[in-house]
Amino acid sequence: MSEPLQRSEVVESTILAPARITPLPEDLRDYLFKYDLSACQTCNACTSGCPITGTPGQEDWDIRKVIRMLSLGLVDEVVESKFPWLCTGCGRCSEACPMGIDIPAITGHLKHLRPRDKVPGILHKGVENVLKSGNNMAVPQNDYYFLMSDLGQELADEDCPGFYVPIDSQDADIAFFPNSKEVFADNKDMKWWWKIFYAAREKWTIPSQNWEAVDWGLFTGNYEATQTLAQRKMDFVRDNRIKRMIMPDCGGGSYGCRKGMAICAAEDPANQVNFIYLHAYLKELFEQGRIKVDKSKNAGKTFTWHDSCKHGRELERHFGHGYFEEPRWVIQQCVDQFVDMEPNRMRAYCCGAGGGMWPGPYEDESAFQGRMKYESIKNSGANVVVTSCSNCRDQMMRRLPKYFKDYEYEVMYIWELVAESLIIEPWSDEEIEAAQAEAKAQWERLGFDPESFL
């Protein structure tokens, strides 16, 4: 950017008037300098790829206009608008941009500039909750313990004798972080991962505190929260000598964690831990022969894969590897009939739920932004859409069918598909007895009596 960015005060008039230019604050000028907005050719490629374009009630706004406004210094006007909060951060704009401008980073910073008491909906409340209580929903620790004990026993009684949920186990091979929406409401959704760990005889654990998987700091432009949440996860892994952590399932949670970890590593290169993405982990279990499945359980249905923007396109752009091929490979271990949606991979359509749009207050706008994803599903002819992001799953399963009713389909997590396809080899009596003894010792160590809640 050859000239310093300036802020223009728009003169309200019935005729065009010269803009009075005043300098932008230095920190904002320095931030926007990194993205060289003067490189924008106003070619409209970003607008054509953006799901916001044409949103009812926002017809006068599009991303090209926003970039030009910022170039002219009209930052306050954009920050005070609804536009940044409608951005899902899907990255289709930057993928299309011939100059490679990182537009999602810019819209994320515009969220950062909004006063916290003016963040729309429940998003900032969730950030306050997670910083104070360790999870977005402020679930009390005893309630968390009881759920893990009770639901774990339920799974042991159903399919997996000897199963229990290991908490704060040291020297585990895998650290796993629960999603608070599942702990708060969708309890049984946790069982799918648990069944996989059980079948694989995985040595895994979850935290007793600071267990939240999802990063709402990313959704609100709260850089400090994103760094704090990533640091908490790394501290848990290191303090308990755990070999690897599975990156959170939510696309935003994973991406936010990577961003936060990058900030931590920039401050201290030694501040890092080993991690693996869920897609690569599932593929690894198959390749090592640790799990087996029965494809016939899924006969008669055609499956397709939803490329989550953050697990795919944005990881590819910022960290060099998007998870496109691994999930397709995993799905095809479980099913005989698989088709791709069009477009897919780097050019896949956003579902409309990212950037906080699923829990946010803009349901109509979110559904509109998911219209092209719905068309992709419908045109694929698939009966089942498989995904790896909790927000994407809820959007495609719960929101889009309320607005688009002429095609019916199911939605599954990829780990749900694997869990429902498993052939579980029975544990020996010795393994079951050892696990039951471990569970009893764990609850005594944590000072929690499961029977007291019954």
Side-chain angles (χ1 to χ4, degrees):
M1 190 175 293
S2 56
E3 295 293 332
L5 280 171
Q6 312 246 315
R7 182 179 186 279
S8 169
E9 293 185 5
V10 177
V11 179
E12 293 186 1
S13 173
T14 57
I15 61 172
L16 292 176
R20 187 156 59 90
I21 305 299
T22 56
L24 283 174
E26 183 177 357
D27 58 342
L28 179 57
R29 185 181 68 242
D30 291 345
Y31 182 89
L32 291 178
F33 253 37
K34 295 187 296 184
Y35 299 100
D36 194 5
L37 301 186
S38 66
C40 174
Q41 299 179 349
T42 66
C43 66
N44 209 39
C46 58
T47 301
S48 298
C50 176
I52 302 178
T53 304
T55 299
Q58 292 287 296
E59 291 88 352
D60 292 336
W61 286 86
D62 60 56
I63 192 59
R64 180 179 65 168
K65 177 179 178 178
V66 166
I67 295 299
R68 300 315 301 158
M69 290 176 71
L70 296 177
S71 297
L72 294 171
L74 301 173
V75 176
D76 289 349
E77 289 78 359
V78 180
V79 169
E80 293 166 7
S81 75
K82 188 163 68 172
F83 188 89
W85 302 95
L86 299 184
C87 176
T88 65
C90 74
R92 291 194 91 241
C93 51
S94 292
E95 169 64 14
C97 177
M99 305 309 293
I101 300 173
D102 190 358
I103 299 170
I106 296 169
T107 57
H109 195 69
L110 296 173
K111 293 179 178 181
H112 173 76
L113 297 176
R114 178 75 72 92
R116 298 296 89 182
D117 62 349
K118 294 183 179 178
V119 170
I122 63 171
L123 294 175
H124 182 57
K125 179 63 175 177
V127 175
E128 290 182 321
N129 282 343
V130 74
L131 294 177
K132 182 178 179 180
S133 73
N135 67 90
N136 292 338
M137 303 297 185
V139 176
Q141 188 173 62
N142 273 352
D143 290 357
Y144 174 68
Y145 282 167
F146 171 71
L147 178 64
M148 296 303 163
S149 170
D150 188 57
L151 204 63
Q153 185 60 53
E154 187 177 298
L155 182 59
D157 294 339
E158 292 171 349
D159 301 305
C160 305
F163 178 85
Y164 77 100
V165 180
I167 300 175
D168 290 349
S169 298
Q170 295 192 334
D171 301 306
D173 291 333
I174 287 293
F176 185 81
F177 297 90
N179 185 321
S180 62
K181 81 177 185 67
E182 295 175 351
V183 176
F184 184 76
D186 299 335
N187 303 152
K188 295 184 184 299
D189 287 0
M190 292 186 287
K191 287 184 179 180
W192 295 311
W193 268 119
W194 296 354
K195 287 180 72 172
I196 292 170
F197 293 147
Y198 181 87
R201 290 170 165 76
E202 184 61 89
K203 191 177 178 182
W204 66 289
T205 190
I206 63 173
S208 60
Q209 299 176 328
N210 298 323
W211 45 262
E212 176 65 65
V214 183
D215 177 13
W216 283 13
L218 180 73
F219 300 160
T220 60
N222 190 325
Y223 304 140
E224 295 79 10
T226 288
Q227 182 176 3
T228 297
L229 298 181
Q231 187 64 63
R232 287 175 175 178
K233 290 178 174 62
M234 291 193 292
D235 288 344
F236 174 70
V237 170
R238 268 196 300 263
D239 292 347
N240 291 281
R241 302 185 302 274
I242 302 168
K243 292 181 182 178
R244 295 183 296 180
M245 60 175 274
I246 294 181
M247 277 288 180
D249 56 17
C250 168
S254 289
Y255 188 75
C257 190
R258 282 296 295 273
K259 297 289 280 188
M261 290 171 73
I263 297 171
C264 293
E267 295 178 354
D268 177 6
N271 189 12
Q272 301 185 54
V273 298
N274 294 326
F275 58 84
I276 187 169
Y277 276 84
L278 63 95
H279 321 83
Y281 175 73
L282 292 173
K283 187 171 187 286
E284 181 181 280
L285 293 182
F286 275 107
E287 290 176 331
Q288 293 177 353
R290 295 175 63 192
I291 57 174
K292 298 177 182 178
V293 295
D294 179 1
K295 284 187 176 185
S296 69
K297 294 182 179 182
N298 302 304
K301 294 181 179 180
T302 300
F303 293 75
T304 190
W305 170 250
H306 164 63
D307 289 296
S308 162
C309 302
K310 284 291 189 279
H311 282 315
R313 182 167 43 240
E314 286 296 272
L315 273 185
E316 179 73 25
R317 287 202 314 116
H318 288 280
F319 295 100
H321 184 84
Y323 286 89
F324 300 119
E325 306 313 320
E326 294 90 341
R328 287 173 167 83
W329 185 91
V330 169
I331 292 169
Q332 291 176 76
Q333 307 312 299
C334 300
V335 309
D336 285 317
Q337 294 177 276
F338 175 84
V339 295
D340 255 324
M341 285 187 248
E342 296 294 341
N344 56 62
R345 295 172 171 82
M346 286 294 283
R347 297 182 181 262
Y349 289 127
C350 177
C351 71
M357 285 292 279
W358 169 251
Y362 304 119
E363 183 173 29
D364 290 347
E365 293 88 342
S366 174
F368 177 82
Q369 291 173 31
R371 69 200 184 280
M372 298 307 294
K373 174 55 63 177
Y374 172 79
E375 289 298 321
S376 288
I377 297 170
K378 178 176 153 182
N379 292 339
S380 75
N383 309 112
V384 184
V385 180
V386 185
T387 185
S388 60
C389 172
S390 56
N391 287 332
C392 296
R393 181 250 199 171
D394 287 349
Q395 173 84 349
M396 293 186 293
M397 183 173 73
R398 297 173 178 168
R399 179 171 289 162
L400 295 187
K402 288 170 57 178
Y403 289 79
F404 309 103
K405 302 179 184 295
D406 62 331
Y407 188 74
E408 294 184 359
Y409 56 88
E410 300 175 46
V411 184
M412 299 181 75
Y413 289 126
I414 190 170
W415 54 92
E416 176 185 0
L417 174 63
V418 172
E420 294 296 291
S421 306
L422 282 172
I423 301 171
I424 299 179
E425 296 183 357
W427 284 18
S428 67
D429 291 342
E430 291 77 11
E431 288 176 306
I432 293 171
E433 290 173 7
Q436 290 170 341
E438 290 168 5
K440 181 179 179 181
Q442 167 180 283
W443 297 122
E444 290 176 355
R445 169 173 54 82
L446 294 173
F448 178 77
D449 180 8
E451 298 297 325
S452 67
F453 270 68
L454 295 178

